[in-house]
């Protein structure tokens, strides 16, 4: 459950960065949002524990 919570928090933080950064013209927040969204997708699409 903790892994899912961290993944969801990354997405929410990315959305917050986009909402704050785009209207204010803050490129740093937009870049941070992109990084956090990337972390979200990597965590979401990563295979869980199976080794082949």
């Amino acid at each position: 459950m903790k892994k899912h919570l961290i993944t969801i928090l990354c997405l929410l933080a990315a959305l917050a960065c986009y909402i704050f950064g785009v209207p204010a013209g803050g490129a740093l927040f937009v870049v941070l949002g992109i990084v956090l969204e990337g972390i979200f997708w990597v965590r979401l699409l990563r295979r869980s524990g199976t080794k082949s």
Side-chain angles (χ1 to χ4, degrees):
M1 184 66 177
K2 185 177 179 181
K3 290 167 60 172
H4 297 299
L5 183 62
I6 293 171
T7 304
I8 292 170
L9 286 176
C10 283
L11 180 63
L12 292 176
L15 288 172
C17 286
Y18 289 144
I19 290 170
F20 183 74
V22 171
L28 181 64
F29 283 104
V30 174
V31 170
L32 182 60
I34 291 169
V35 170
L36 287 168
E37 185 179 354
I39 293 170
F40 165 77
W41 284 111
V42 166
R43 291 180 62 88
L44 187 69
L45 298 176
R46 179 175 54 180
R47 290 187 181 193
S48 60
T50 38
K51 293 183 180 180
S52 19

